[in-house]
Amino acid sequence: AQSVTQLGSHVSVSEGALVLLRCNYSSSVPPYLFWYVQYPNQGLQLLLKYTSAATLVKGINGFEAEFKKSETSFHLTKPSAHMSDAAEYFCAVSDQRGGGTSYGKLTFGQGTILTVHP
Amino acid sequence: EAGVTQSPTHLIKTRGQQATLRCSPISGHTSVYWYQQALGLGLQFLLWYDEGEERNRGNFPPRFSGRQFPNYSSELNVNALELEDSALYLCASSAGQVHNEQFFGPGTRLTVL
C-alpha cells in the first residue's frame, strides 16, 4: 500500500526566505511523485512531478523538489518566498505499475498550509 | 485549452436525498477521477473511469457511484446522503496512464443539512 506523510501541517516563513515543505512516501513499487498547490476555494494545480527521470525536478513558480530514494523523500523547496505562495500544498504518490488496488489513483498527504509574512 | 469543468459549483441537499455532480474533462483526455476532500479527512480517492469503464474504486460505500459517458464526461451520484458526505468533490482528468498526471477541476461544494 502507498502512503504519504507531510511533516508539518502549518509552515510559516517571511517573504524572501527559503520555503521547505517536507514529504516522505511509502511505496512497494517505484513511484511517481507529485506536488500540487490549492488556493482557497479552488481546485488543485500541479506544481511538479517526478517520473523516474531526473531526481531534481523543477516546476512552476520557482519551485523544485528532489527525489531521494534512500530517504524515501520528495521535499519541495523554493529559494525565496513570495506573498502569492501562501496556499495549501499537497504531496501525492501514484503507482507506476498496472493493476492492483492502488492503480490509477493518487494518494495524497494531509497537506501543509504555507503562510508568508511580509 | 479549456480545463476540467465541474457543475454545479455549490449544491445543498438534505439527509436522505440524492446528489448528482458533473465533470467535463480536458479535451482529448479519456480518464476521469473523482476525489472527496472532507474537513479533517484530507483528499480521498473515490472513483476512476477510463474509456467508459470503472477501473478502480476507493474505500467508499456503494451509495457512491458514477458513470462515464461516450464523450468522456462523467457523473458522480451520491444516494441516501448523510451529514458526513458534506465535502468538496474534485474531479480530475488525464490523457491516459502515462505518468498518471491528473489535472483538477475547481470542485463542487456539497453541503448536506
Side-chain angles (χ1 to χ4, degrees):
Chain A
Q2 300 170 320
S3 66
V4 175
T5 301
Q6 291 183 238
L7 298 175
S9 58
H10 290 80
V11 170
S12 181
V13 301
S14 298
E15 192 172 19
L18 171 72
V19 175
L20 171 60
L21 304 182
R22 300 177 187 273
C23 171
N24 288 88
Y25 70 91
S26 172
S27 178
S28 58
V29 298
Y32 293 134
L33 293 160
F34 306 84
W35 275 99
Y36 284 88
V37 61
Q38 186 177 34
Y39 297 99
N41 300 313
Q42 294 187 25
L44 277 68
Q45 180 184 9
L46 181 66
L47 280 175
L48 48 80
K49 62 181 181 181
Y50 166 77
T51 57
S52 71
T55 56
L56 182 62
V57 181
K58 294 188 182 299
I60 62 172
N61 301 338
F63 285 94
E64 64 180 37
E66 186 172 9
F67 173 70
K68 292 187 177 180
K69 184 178 179 180
S70 61
E71 299 177 8
T72 61
S73 69
F74 190 58
H75 302 330
L76 182 71
T77 60
K78 182 174 181 178
S80 177
H82 294 164
M83 298 294 291
S84 60
D85 294 328
E88 188 163 17
Y89 292 79
F90 292 92
C91 181
V93 63
S94 75
D95 192 342
Q96 287 188 28
R97 188 184 56 185
T101 58
S102 62
Y103 185 44
K105 72 176 188 181
L106 291 172
T107 300
F108 287 89
Q110 288 299 306
T112 298
I113 296 173
L114 175 66
T115 303
V116 182
H117 296 288
Chain B
E1 176 184 275
V4 177
T5 59
Q6 293 186 244
S7 63
T9 304
H10 295 87
L11 190 57
I12 300 174
K13 296 285 186 178
T14 57
R15 284 178 58 188
Q17 286 188 314
Q18 178 195 33
T20 298
L21 290 65
R22 296 179 176 84
C23 172
S24 292
I26 291 171
S27 178
H29 286 191
T30 60
S31 279
V32 170
Y33 311 79
W34 288 94
Y35 293 85
Q36 182 196 65
Q37 188 175 25
L39 199 61
L41 295 178
L43 280 151
Q44 304 292 326
F45 168 75
L46 262 168
L47 290 160
W48 168 30
Y49 292 96
D50 182 58
E51 297 284 359
E53 299 288 331
E54 182 181 301
R55 302 296 186 185
N56 201 357
R57 180 183 182 86
N59 189 24
F60 281 84
R63 58 191 186 83
F64 286 84
S65 65
R67 54 181 172 168
Q68 186 177 33
F69 299 98
N71 66 354
Y72 302 113
S73 67
S74 177
E75 202 173 79
L76 174 68
N77 294 292
V78 188
N79 293 320
L81 284 165
E82 300 179 2
L83 296 177
E84 51 265 34
D85 296 334
S86 294
L88 181 67
Y89 289 83
L90 293 167
C91 172
S93 72
S94 72
Q97 281 311 293
V98 177
H99 300 160
N100 199 24
E101 181 174 341
Q102 297 180 18
F103 297 85
F104 283 80
T108 292
R109 174 75 62 185
L110 173 63
T111 303
V112 182
L113 302 175

